[in-house]
Amino acid sequence: MKNKVDVIIIGGSYTGLSAAMSLGRSLRNVLVIDGGKSCNRQTPHSHNFITHDGRAPGEISSLAREQVLKYNTVKFIEGTVIKASEITGGFEIITENNEKFYAKKLILASGVKDIMPDIEGFSECWGISVIHCPYCHGYEVKNKTTGILSNGDPAFEFSKIVFNLTKDLTLFTHGASTLTQEQSDRFSRNNIRITEDEIEKIIHEKGQIQKLVFKNGKEVPLDALYAKISFEQNINTEDLGLELTEHGFIKIDHFHKTNIDGVFACGDNVTLMRSVANAVSQGNVTGALVNRELCEEDFN
């Protein structure tokens, strides 16, 4: 069959490339298909990844691709997968150019798509001064005037982590607070301000927040804003009949297997822990697990 490989990896950022290296070093024929829209493409610097701390995300992924493609059994194409189907003996992948590829195993390293709230300036600041992870970005904004855009239990738990990095902290619930009275009291005891006003826009300079402007006309100066926002899967999970968790992640077991035999998933599409270091780790492990399954099948 033309265009058939051992493994197709959908997604060629840190997770997918890490899985490809693991498989390439195991002599597996691998095809990586990537749409070129990594979730951190706007982020100027990546942190908390040993040996690469402070480097631009694009530099890390470019170096990774260069190193992975030195293994001659690994191929990389730019393209968007529009359909993935289970067929006899494996899987068929169709891209937007109507190219068809086939593989025995499928790794979904496709990440997620962040859904920006209807706040002017939010998307321009995303990954720069509107940030998602205190481990990836918190040190750089330590002790600065900081906000958290969240509500309820998630806001309460997340605030404990951010409070370790700055005491100049405000929770913006963007509407009526859903905190319990006990939670609100603990915020008060720690001098964490709570603002329920709805945010209209973010005033910024090239993605760097200057202040928040609220629908009632109020303005608040700010240096950084942590935000917990919604997301959706980058791939159509219904094509393969993939199960999702209650939080919208692809459901996997301890071996990174999905509910569909032969389909594995790893990276941002399966976990809340969104970091470059974790993505690389998950890809490396998943590649090894897929190779192990292929070895089991080949060893008659």
Side-chain angles (χ1 to χ4, degrees):
M1 183 182 290
K2 186 180 178 182
N3 292 337
K4 185 172 183 179
V5 295
D6 294 319
V7 184
I8 288 176
I9 301 174
I10 300 177
S13 191
Y14 316 104
T15 310
L17 290 170
S18 181
M21 177 173 280
S22 187
L23 287 161
R25 289 181 57 81
S26 299
L27 309 182
R28 297 299 178 184
N29 290 303
V30 180
L31 174 65
V32 181
I33 305 175
D34 183 67
K37 294 183 179 180
S38 63
C39 65
N40 66 352
R41 59 189 178 275
Q42 193 166 279
T43 304
H45 303 287
S46 176
H47 292 283
N48 207 29
F49 181 18
I50 194 167
T51 74
H52 291 290
D53 189 54
R55 296 188 71 172
E59 290 181 12
I60 300 172
S61 58
S62 293
L63 178 60
R65 186 189 304 186
E66 177 186 327
Q67 292 178 346
V68 169
L69 291 180
K70 288 181 180 178
Y71 296 93
N72 59 15
T73 58
V74 180
K75 306 299 180 187
F76 187 103
I77 65 168
E78 293 184 1
T80 301
V81 173
I82 60 170
K83 189 173 180 60
S85 305
E86 190 172 7
I87 60 173
T88 302
F91 302 90
E92 178 187 70
I93 303 300
I94 303 176
T95 68
E96 83 279 13
N97 296 325
N98 204 36
E99 293 180 288
K100 296 182 179 180
F101 301 95
Y102 305 89
K104 299 175 185 176
K105 307 292 179 183
L106 183 60
I107 296 178
L108 305 177
S110 44
V112 295
K113 178 182 178 181
D114 294 308
I115 301 173
M116 303 296 159
D118 187 20
I119 297 173
E120 182 183 336
F122 187 98
S123 60
E124 290 85 351
C125 295
W126 183 241
I128 302 172
S129 59
V130 176
I131 51 184
H132 78 287
C133 174
Y135 298 101
C136 299
H137 309 288
Y139 184 85
E140 284 62 45
V141 295
K142 64 183 184 300
N143 300 322
K144 293 191 175 183
T145 302
T146 302
I148 297 173
L149 178 59
S150 187
N151 208 345
D153 290 339
F156 180 70
E157 296 302 326
F158 191 58
S159 295
K160 299 175 187 177
I161 307 298
V162 179
F163 186 67
N164 176 61
L165 297 165
T166 179
K167 301 302 183 279
D168 188 357
L169 185 59
T170 303
L171 174 66
F172 299 100
T173 58
H174 194 48
S177 171
T178 57
L179 294 169
T180 66
Q181 187 60 53
E182 180 185 356
Q183 289 170 339
S184 297
D185 290 343
R186 288 181 67 179
F187 272 53
S188 179
R189 288 198 297 272
N190 286 291
N191 296 314
I192 300 174
R193 301 171 292 273
I194 300 174
T195 297
E196 298 179 284
D197 302 322
E198 292 188 28
I199 303 169
E200 181 177 10
K201 60 183 175 181
I202 298 174
I203 303 299
H204 65 95
E205 181 66 33
K206 295 182 178 179
Q208 182 57 58
I209 295 177
Q210 296 176 330
K211 61 184 175 181
L212 301 184
V213 178
F214 299 86
K215 292 182 179 179
N216 59 11
K218 178 181 174 182
E219 297 182 357
V220 173
L222 204 66
D223 295 315
L225 179 68
Y226 290 92
K228 292 294 188 180
I229 63 175
S230 301
F231 69 89
E232 60 186 14
Q233 292 290 333
N234 270 326
I235 60 167
N236 184 350
T237 57
E238 294 181 359
D239 281 349
L240 290 165
L242 295 169
E243 285 186 32
L244 301 180
T245 69
E246 61 179 317
H247 299 296
F249 296 105
I250 297 173
K251 189 175 182 179
I252 57 172
D253 64 14
H254 293 300
F255 298 96
H256 284 267
K257 293 183 178 183
T258 69
N259 61 299
I260 304 300
D261 190 35
V263 180
F264 297 71
C266 50
D268 290 354
N269 56 13
V270 302
T271 180
L272 282 167
M273 291 294 294
R274 294 174 60 177
S275 72
V276 175
N278 190 49
V280 171
S281 173
Q282 286 209 13
N284 179 268
V285 171
T286 303
L289 291 169
V290 172
N291 179 63
R292 184 181 186 280
E293 187 165 289
L294 287 167
C295 288
E296 290 278 358
E297 294 170 358
D298 293 342
F299 197 74
N300 297 321

